[in-house]
Amino acid sequence: MVEKLRGGIVNLRPRINRWTPSRRDLNFSASIHSSLVQPHFVVAGEGVDQPIDSMPGIHRQSPDVLLQTIAADMKLGIHSHMLFPVLEEQEKDSTASAASSKDMPLLHVIRQLKSQFGNDIVVMTDVCLCTATDHGHCGIIHDEHIDNDLSVTELCKIALSHAEAGADYVSASDMMDGRVLAIRTALEDAGFVNTGILSYSVKYASSFYGPFRDAAASAPTFGDRSSHQMDIRSGYGEAVLEATTDQAEGADIIMIKPAMTYLDVVRKVADAVSRPVAVYNVSGEYSMVMSSTSDDESRGKMVREIFHSFKRAGADIIVSYHAREAVSRNWL
Ligand code: PBG
């Protein structure tokens, strides 16, 4: 199977998106409610519930607190969850070795969620090096540049650790070349034939990620992400190239990020690919809405309008920090 896969004969497993009822609802339902994914930030410890200043309403939580948060979300009918690890400075190093460590609190959360909710939950996990490198870059630096292939090797280790713990989708957010095929091959080799890959295929070097980097303590200590994330000026050709390449390498979901400033790109990509399309309504977009509205009603109307614009542009899946409030306050 793997040899065929490497030869490009078998590189897709369309059944992955159909595997559980909750995966089918997420990928194929027309309703906005079923399309929502709530992001969470996981820290070590117990009883930790730290508000993030730049993102009102969003907290960093230790596994015990987070499991309660997600249980409440599940009751509301939010079945899809995206988990981001947040590490302490002293755990970080130049090769992000902590990110694939067997002791990551994130792994504990995945296991608990899958044992508690089984097929009712869709657990997605972020696969990147930036939260675990001491320099904050998304890859391993060699001769002052991010070394693509060394970084991909590390990404595969991280993805495998999440798959082993039971993640439904590993979400590659790093923008290294060839990582989707490498991760797909690593998953196949290890027998994880039902683990999906959500690829951040079309990810721009955007100024809208600031609050997230604060939340995940992942801002680069020097330079920026322009040598791997896409140039904000680049046209549709490159967006379609990235998306169709990831699709051919075996991505199960194709993501565009950020969302609001790239709706035209979402439309073009949705027309060009045959896998479900996701948008990431990123931290800067969230903070902008939060700071421009003073009451629930006006925020609700704004969020509803934004979500419909995503759907109209062609998004099947919406990753948004507004998911919980949109559902609990009946904004949809
Ligand atoms: C990790 C990652 C980032 C985001 C998601 N995954 C930060 C970045 O690329 O700098 C941003 C999400 C957001 O802004 O809400 N690479």
Side-chain angles (χ1 to χ4, degrees):
M1 166 59 86
V2 173
E3 286 317 308
K4 285 188 196 163
L5 186 151
R6 287 194 180 121
I9 299 166
V10 178
N11 45 13
L12 302 177
R13 285 189 179 272
R15 287 189 62 203
I16 284 175
N17 289 339
R18 304 176 201 140
W19 195 248
T20 64
S22 54
R23 289 191 195 179
R24 295 196 289 275
D25 283 347
L26 174 68
N27 284 297
F28 306 120
S29 164
S31 97
I32 290 183
H33 188 151
S34 302
S35 312
L36 294 174
V37 179
Q38 176 73 45
H40 306 274
F41 296 98
V42 191
V43 291
E46 230 176 282
V48 183
D49 194 4
Q50 297 169 339
I52 298 160
D53 292 342
S54 52
M55 300 175 71
I58 305 297
H59 295 210
R60 293 185 205 94
Q61 298 182 320
S62 53
D64 55 329
V65 180
L66 179 57
L67 289 166
Q68 288 176 20
T69 302
I70 295 181
D73 289 346
M74 291 292 287
K75 272 208 182 110
L76 282 174
I78 299 173
H79 288 253
S80 301
H81 300 272
M82 171 90 82
L83 306 177
F84 292 93
V86 184
L87 282 84
E88 301 284 343
E89 285 310 315
Q90 66 269 18
E91 294 177 89
K92 302 182 182 184
D93 60 21
S94 61
T95 58
S97 56
S100 55
S101 141
K102 298 270 177 274
D103 308 322
M104 281 285 272
L106 177 83
L107 301 180
H108 174 67
V109 174
I110 304 170
R111 280 190 215 103
Q112 288 293 318
L113 289 174
K114 288 312 282 186
S115 80
Q116 201 173 336
F117 300 106
N119 287 343
D120 287 341
I121 192 166
V122 180
V123 176
M124 302 172 142
T125 57
D126 190 63
V127 174
C128 192
L129 304 191
C130 63
T131 50
T133 47
D134 48 14
H135 43 67
H137 281 288
C138 305
I140 295 175
I141 297 194
H142 190 70
D143 275 348
E144 291 171 35
H145 290 283
I146 294 179
D147 185 299
N148 193 86
D149 298 6
L150 274 180
S151 306
V152 168
T153 306
E154 279 311 307
L155 291 164
C156 289
K157 285 190 209 160
I158 301 173
L160 271 180
S161 72
H162 297 177
E164 248 163 49
D168 286 276
Y169 291 91
V170 291
S171 313
S173 70
D174 52 283
M175 288 301 279
M176 295 301 116
D177 292 332
R179 91 278 206 210
V180 173
L181 180 59
I183 292 173
R184 171 64 76 217
T185 308
L187 292 174
E188 292 275 329
D189 279 347
F192 295 112
V193 295
N194 300 318
T195 308
I197 301 175
L198 180 158
S199 177
Y200 287 66
S201 301
V202 183
K203 177 173 177 179
Y204 292 90
S206 167
S207 53
F208 283 86
Y209 308 149
F212 173 97
R213 291 178 189 170
D214 174 24
S218 65
T221 52
F222 59 90
D224 58 27
R225 307 224 199 280
S226 318
S227 81
H228 52 292
Q229 297 180 352
M230 288 166 61
D231 193 300
I232 58 155
R233 300 164 299 185
S234 71
Y236 299 135
E238 200 183 19
V240 169
L241 172 75
E242 288 281 4
T244 51
T245 303
D246 284 2
Q247 172 168 277
E249 289 184 18
D252 300 283
I253 298 172
I254 304 289
M255 185 134 86
I256 293 109
K257 173 183 168 191
M260 287 164 63
T261 37
Y262 295 92
L263 290 177
D264 55 332
V265 175
V266 176
R267 178 78 270 156
K268 289 281 178 194
V269 169
D271 287 343
V273 299
S274 43
R275 310 323 310 277
V277 168
V279 289
Y280 199 136
N281 181 206
V282 298
S283 57
E285 298 172 334
Y286 174 79
S287 301
M288 215 161 58
V289 168
M290 297 305 282
S291 61
S292 65
T293 49
S294 52
D295 63 283
D296 267 23
E297 198 192 336
S298 53
R299 190 157 82 251
K301 285 185 176 159
M302 214 183 247
V303 168
R304 183 167 176 270
E305 191 171 338
I306 291 169
F307 284 178
H308 276 281
S309 77
F310 297 157
K311 277 283 173 193
R312 190 169 52 238
D316 301 294
I317 295 169
I318 300 171
V319 182
S320 176
Y321 303 98
H322 293 293
R324 179 181 306 120
E325 55 174 3
V327 173
S328 66
R329 295 177 192 185
N330 249 329
W331 289 345
L332 303 176

Short mmCIF file of all heavy atoms in Angstrom, two decimals, residues 39 41 55 84 126-131 136 138 173-174 200 203-204 206 208-213 218-220 225 228-229 257 280-285 321, ligand 1:
data_model
loop_
_atom_site.label_atom_id
_atom_site.label_comp_id
_atom_site.label_asym_id
_atom_site.label_seq_id
_atom_site.Cartn_x
_atom_site.Cartn_y
_atom_site.Cartn_z
N PRO A 39 -11.60 26.20 18.60
CA PRO A 39 -10.18 26.03 18.99
C PRO A 39 -9.99 26.13 20.51
O PRO A 39 -10.73 26.86 21.18
CB PRO A 39 -9.46 27.20 18.30
CG PRO A 39 -10.48 27.86 17.41
CD PRO A 39 -11.82 27.51 17.97
N PHE A 41 -6.67 26.08 23.74
CA PHE A 41 -5.24 26.12 24.06
C PHE A 41 -4.97 25.29 25.32
O PHE A 41 -5.56 25.55 26.37
CB PHE A 41 -4.79 27.57 24.29
CG PHE A 41 -4.93 28.41 23.05
CD1 PHE A 41 -6.03 29.24 22.85
CD2 PHE A 41 -3.96 28.34 22.05
CE1 PHE A 41 -6.16 29.99 21.69
CE2 PHE A 41 -4.08 29.10 20.88
CZ PHE A 41 -5.19 29.92 20.70
N MET A 55 -7.57 38.12 23.49
CA MET A 55 -8.70 37.38 22.94
C MET A 55 -9.77 37.18 24.01
O MET A 55 -9.89 36.09 24.58
CB MET A 55 -8.25 36.01 22.40
CG MET A 55 -7.21 36.12 21.31
SD MET A 55 -6.58 34.51 20.81
CE MET A 55 -7.99 33.87 19.95
N PHE A 84 -4.56 23.16 20.47
CA PHE A 84 -3.22 23.72 20.30
C PHE A 84 -2.43 23.58 21.59
O PHE A 84 -2.90 24.02 22.65
CB PHE A 84 -3.30 25.22 19.98
CG PHE A 84 -3.89 25.51 18.64
CD1 PHE A 84 -5.25 25.75 18.50
CD2 PHE A 84 -3.10 25.54 17.51
CE1 PHE A 84 -5.81 26.01 17.25
CE2 PHE A 84 -3.64 25.80 16.26
CZ PHE A 84 -5.00 26.03 16.13
N ASP A 126 -3.24 20.52 16.27
CA ASP A 126 -2.31 21.32 15.48
C ASP A 126 -0.94 20.64 15.42
O ASP A 126 -0.40 20.22 16.44
CB ASP A 126 -2.16 22.71 16.11
CG ASP A 126 -1.41 23.65 15.19
OD1 ASP A 126 -1.92 23.93 14.09
OD2 ASP A 126 -0.30 24.10 15.54
N VAL A 127 -0.43 20.53 14.21
CA VAL A 127 0.89 19.94 14.02
C VAL A 127 1.82 21.01 13.45
O VAL A 127 1.73 21.39 12.28
CB VAL A 127 0.82 18.73 13.07
CG1 VAL A 127 2.21 18.21 12.74
CG2 VAL A 127 -0.03 17.62 13.68
N CYS A 128 2.66 21.57 14.32
CA CYS A 128 3.62 22.59 13.88
C CYS A 128 4.76 22.61 14.89
O CYS A 128 4.61 22.08 15.99
CB CYS A 128 2.97 23.96 13.78
SG CYS A 128 4.03 25.17 12.92
N LEU A 129 5.87 23.21 14.53
CA LEU A 129 6.99 23.27 15.46
C LEU A 129 7.02 24.56 16.26
O LEU A 129 7.70 24.65 17.28
CB LEU A 129 8.33 23.12 14.71
CG LEU A 129 8.52 21.88 13.83
CD1 LEU A 129 9.99 21.78 13.39
CD2 LEU A 129 8.13 20.62 14.53
N CYS A 130 6.27 25.59 15.80
CA CYS A 130 6.48 26.93 16.37
C CYS A 130 6.18 27.04 17.86
O CYS A 130 6.76 27.88 18.54
CB CYS A 130 5.71 27.98 15.58
SG CYS A 130 3.93 27.76 15.62
N THR A 131 5.28 26.21 18.39
CA THR A 131 5.00 26.33 19.82
C THR A 131 6.10 25.67 20.66
O THR A 131 6.14 25.84 21.86
CB THR A 131 3.65 25.68 20.21
OG1 THR A 131 3.62 24.37 19.66
CG2 THR A 131 2.48 26.48 19.71
N GLY A 136 10.85 30.14 18.05
CA GLY A 136 9.47 30.44 17.65
C GLY A 136 9.18 30.23 16.17
O GLY A 136 8.08 30.54 15.70
N CYS A 138 8.55 27.93 12.62
CA CYS A 138 7.75 26.72 12.36
C CYS A 138 8.60 25.56 11.87
O CYS A 138 8.05 24.54 11.43
CB CYS A 138 6.67 27.02 11.32
SG CYS A 138 5.63 28.41 11.76
N SER A 173 0.02 22.83 10.09
CA SER A 173 -0.12 24.29 9.94
C SER A 173 1.20 24.97 9.63
O SER A 173 1.32 26.18 9.75
CB SER A 173 -0.74 24.90 11.21
OG SER A 173 0.15 24.85 12.28
N ASP A 174 2.19 24.20 9.23
CA ASP A 174 3.58 24.69 9.14
C ASP A 174 3.95 25.28 7.77
O ASP A 174 4.88 26.05 7.66
CB ASP A 174 4.48 23.49 9.38
CG ASP A 174 4.07 22.36 8.44
OD1 ASP A 174 3.05 21.71 8.74
OD2 ASP A 174 4.72 22.17 7.41
N TYR A 200 -3.36 22.97 6.37
CA TYR A 200 -3.42 24.42 6.19
C TYR A 200 -2.72 24.65 4.85
O TYR A 200 -1.54 24.95 4.79
CB TYR A 200 -2.64 25.14 7.27
CG TYR A 200 -3.25 25.18 8.66
CD1 TYR A 200 -3.43 24.04 9.42
CD2 TYR A 200 -3.57 26.41 9.24
CE1 TYR A 200 -3.93 24.11 10.71
CE2 TYR A 200 -4.08 26.48 10.53
CZ TYR A 200 -4.25 25.33 11.25
OH TYR A 200 -4.73 25.41 12.54
N LYS A 203 -2.05 29.21 3.38
CA LYS A 203 -1.87 29.97 4.61
C LYS A 203 -0.95 31.14 4.32
O LYS A 203 0.20 30.96 3.93
CB LYS A 203 -1.28 29.07 5.69
CG LYS A 203 -1.00 29.79 6.99
CD LYS A 203 -0.58 28.80 8.08
CE LYS A 203 -0.22 29.52 9.35
NZ LYS A 203 0.17 28.59 10.42
N TYR A 204 -1.48 32.34 4.51
CA TYR A 204 -0.73 33.54 4.18
C TYR A 204 0.11 34.01 5.37
O TYR A 204 -0.27 33.79 6.53
CB TYR A 204 -1.70 34.65 3.73
CG TYR A 204 -2.35 34.31 2.41
CD1 TYR A 204 -3.53 33.59 2.36
CD2 TYR A 204 -1.73 34.66 1.22
CE1 TYR A 204 -4.11 33.25 1.14
CE2 TYR A 204 -2.30 34.32 -0.01
CZ TYR A 204 -3.49 33.62 -0.04
OH TYR A 204 -4.05 33.27 -1.23
N SER A 206 0.27 36.39 7.34
CA SER A 206 -0.72 37.43 7.62
C SER A 206 -0.40 38.21 8.89
O SER A 206 0.21 37.67 9.82
CB SER A 206 -2.09 36.75 7.74
OG SER A 206 -3.04 37.61 8.29
N PHE A 208 -2.78 39.02 10.78
CA PHE A 208 -3.95 38.74 11.62
C PHE A 208 -3.73 37.61 12.64
O PHE A 208 -4.67 37.13 13.23
CB PHE A 208 -5.16 38.40 10.74
CG PHE A 208 -5.79 39.62 10.09
CD1 PHE A 208 -5.30 40.10 8.88
CD2 PHE A 208 -6.85 40.29 10.69
CE1 PHE A 208 -5.87 41.22 8.28
CE2 PHE A 208 -7.42 41.41 10.10
CZ PHE A 208 -6.93 41.88 8.89
N TYR A 209 -2.47 37.15 12.79
CA TYR A 209 -2.23 36.06 13.74
C TYR A 209 -1.69 36.54 15.10
O TYR A 209 -1.37 35.73 15.96
CB TYR A 209 -1.20 35.04 13.20
CG TYR A 209 -1.50 34.48 11.82
CD1 TYR A 209 -0.45 34.10 10.97
CD2 TYR A 209 -2.80 34.30 11.37
CE1 TYR A 209 -0.69 33.58 9.71
CE2 TYR A 209 -3.05 33.80 10.10
CZ TYR A 209 -2.00 33.44 9.27
OH TYR A 209 -2.23 32.93 8.03
N GLY A 210 -1.55 37.86 15.26
CA GLY A 210 -0.91 38.40 16.46
C GLY A 210 -1.46 37.87 17.77
O GLY A 210 -0.70 37.34 18.60
N PRO A 211 -2.78 37.95 18.00
CA PRO A 211 -3.31 37.49 19.29
C PRO A 211 -3.04 36.00 19.55
O PRO A 211 -2.77 35.60 20.68
CB PRO A 211 -4.82 37.77 19.18
CG PRO A 211 -4.92 38.86 18.15
CD PRO A 211 -3.82 38.60 17.17
N PHE A 212 -3.06 35.18 18.49
CA PHE A 212 -2.78 33.74 18.65
C PHE A 212 -1.35 33.54 19.15
O PHE A 212 -1.10 32.72 20.04
CB PHE A 212 -2.95 33.02 17.31
CG PHE A 212 -2.52 31.56 17.33
CD1 PHE A 212 -3.45 30.56 17.52
CD2 PHE A 212 -1.19 31.21 17.16
CE1 PHE A 212 -3.06 29.22 17.54
CE2 PHE A 212 -0.79 29.88 17.17
CZ PHE A 212 -1.73 28.88 17.36
N ARG A 213 -0.41 34.28 18.57
CA ARG A 213 1.00 34.08 18.96
C ARG A 213 1.20 34.47 20.42
O ARG A 213 2.03 33.91 21.11
CB ARG A 213 1.91 34.86 18.03
CG ARG A 213 1.90 34.24 16.63
CD ARG A 213 2.75 35.00 15.65
NE ARG A 213 2.53 34.46 14.30
CZ ARG A 213 2.98 35.03 13.20
NH1 ARG A 213 3.67 36.15 13.27
NH2 ARG A 213 2.74 34.49 12.03
N SER A 218 4.07 31.77 20.71
CA SER A 218 4.77 31.19 19.55
C SER A 218 5.29 32.24 18.58
O SER A 218 5.56 31.93 17.42
CB SER A 218 3.82 30.24 18.81
OG SER A 218 2.73 30.98 18.26
N ALA A 219 5.41 33.50 19.03
CA ALA A 219 5.91 34.53 18.12
C ALA A 219 7.39 34.27 17.82
O ALA A 219 8.15 33.90 18.71
CB ALA A 219 5.73 35.91 18.74
N PRO A 220 7.83 34.45 16.56
CA PRO A 220 9.25 34.26 16.28
C PRO A 220 10.10 35.30 17.01
O PRO A 220 9.69 36.46 17.10
CB PRO A 220 9.35 34.43 14.76
CG PRO A 220 8.05 34.98 14.29
CD PRO A 220 7.04 34.81 15.38
N ARG A 225 7.60 34.94 9.08
CA ARG A 225 7.27 33.64 8.50
C ARG A 225 7.17 33.70 6.97
O ARG A 225 6.57 32.82 6.35
CB ARG A 225 5.95 33.14 9.07
CG ARG A 225 5.87 33.10 10.60
CD ARG A 225 5.23 31.82 11.08
NE ARG A 225 4.71 31.84 12.42
CZ ARG A 225 5.43 31.70 13.52
NH1 ARG A 225 6.75 31.62 13.44
NH2 ARG A 225 4.86 31.67 14.70
N HIS A 228 8.03 30.75 4.32
CA HIS A 228 7.21 29.54 4.13
C HIS A 228 5.72 29.84 3.99
O HIS A 228 5.05 29.22 3.17
CB HIS A 228 7.48 28.49 5.22
CG HIS A 228 7.38 28.99 6.62
ND1 HIS A 228 8.25 29.88 7.16
CD2 HIS A 228 6.48 28.72 7.59
CE1 HIS A 228 7.91 30.13 8.42
NE2 HIS A 228 6.84 29.45 8.70
N GLN A 229 5.20 30.80 4.77
CA GLN A 229 3.79 31.14 4.57
C GLN A 229 3.67 31.98 3.29
O GLN A 229 4.63 32.62 2.86
CB GLN A 229 3.26 31.90 5.79
CG GLN A 229 3.30 31.02 7.05
CD GLN A 229 2.78 31.72 8.30
OE1 GLN A 229 2.51 32.92 8.29
NE2 GLN A 229 2.65 30.97 9.38
N LYS A 257 -6.45 30.22 5.16
CA LYS A 257 -6.29 30.99 6.39
C LYS A 257 -5.46 32.23 6.12
O LYS A 257 -4.43 32.10 5.46
CB LYS A 257 -5.59 30.09 7.40
CG LYS A 257 -5.18 30.76 8.67
CD LYS A 257 -4.44 29.79 9.52
CE LYS A 257 -3.78 30.58 10.63
NZ LYS A 257 -2.85 29.82 11.38
N TYR A 280 -10.18 29.28 8.35
CA TYR A 280 -9.80 29.60 9.72
C TYR A 280 -10.06 31.08 9.96
O TYR A 280 -9.38 31.94 9.42
CB TYR A 280 -8.32 29.27 9.96
CG TYR A 280 -7.97 29.13 11.44
CD1 TYR A 280 -7.16 28.08 11.88
CD2 TYR A 280 -8.43 30.03 12.38
CE1 TYR A 280 -6.84 27.93 13.22
CE2 TYR A 280 -8.12 29.88 13.73
CZ TYR A 280 -7.33 28.84 14.15
OH TYR A 280 -7.02 28.71 15.48
N ASN A 281 -11.09 31.34 10.76
CA ASN A 281 -11.47 32.69 11.16
C ASN A 281 -10.52 33.06 12.32
O ASN A 281 -10.79 32.79 13.48
CB ASN A 281 -12.94 32.61 11.62
CG ASN A 281 -13.57 33.90 12.07
OD1 ASN A 281 -14.52 33.88 12.87
ND2 ASN A 281 -13.10 35.02 11.59
N VAL A 282 -9.37 33.64 11.97
CA VAL A 282 -8.21 33.67 12.88
C VAL A 282 -8.34 34.67 14.03
O VAL A 282 -9.27 35.48 14.08
CB VAL A 282 -6.90 33.94 12.11
CG1 VAL A 282 -6.62 32.84 11.11
CG2 VAL A 282 -6.93 35.32 11.45
N SER A 283 -7.35 34.61 14.90
CA SER A 283 -7.37 35.39 16.14
C SER A 283 -7.53 36.89 15.91
O SER A 283 -8.28 37.55 16.62
CB SER A 283 -6.09 35.11 16.93
OG SER A 283 -4.94 35.41 16.15
N GLY A 284 -6.84 37.43 14.91
CA GLY A 284 -6.94 38.88 14.66
C GLY A 284 -8.32 39.27 14.19
O GLY A 284 -8.84 40.34 14.52
N GLU A 285 -8.96 38.38 13.44
CA GLU A 285 -10.33 38.63 12.99
C GLU A 285 -11.28 38.59 14.18
O GLU A 285 -12.19 39.42 14.31
CB GLU A 285 -10.74 37.58 11.95
CG GLU A 285 -9.88 37.60 10.70
CD GLU A 285 -10.15 36.43 9.74
OE1 GLU A 285 -10.60 35.36 10.18
OE2 GLU A 285 -9.89 36.61 8.55
N TYR A 321 -13.13 31.06 16.84
CA TYR A 321 -13.21 31.28 18.29
C TYR A 321 -14.61 31.72 18.71
O TYR A 321 -14.93 31.73 19.89
CB TYR A 321 -12.17 32.34 18.71
CG TYR A 321 -10.76 31.95 18.31
CD1 TYR A 321 -10.17 32.45 17.15
CD2 TYR A 321 -10.02 31.07 19.09
CE1 TYR A 321 -8.89 32.08 16.76
CE2 TYR A 321 -8.74 30.69 18.72
CZ TYR A 321 -8.19 31.20 17.56
OH TYR A 321 -6.92 30.81 17.19
C1 PBG B 1 0.86 27.58 14.02
C2 PBG B 1 -0.43 28.29 13.88
C3 PBG B 1 -0.69 29.67 13.87
C4 PBG B 1 -2.08 29.81 13.82
C5 PBG B 1 -2.62 28.53 13.75
N1 PBG B 1 -1.59 27.60 13.78
C6 PBG B 1 0.23 30.82 14.01
C7 PBG B 1 1.15 31.19 12.94
O1 PBG B 1 1.19 30.60 11.87
O2 PBG B 1 1.90 32.10 13.21
C8 PBG B 1 -2.83 31.12 13.84
C9 PBG B 1 -4.24 31.03 14.32
C10 PBG B 1 -4.86 32.33 14.68
O3 PBG B 1 -4.34 33.43 14.45
O4 PBG B 1 -5.96 32.26 15.25
N2 PBG B 1 1.75 27.69 12.95
#
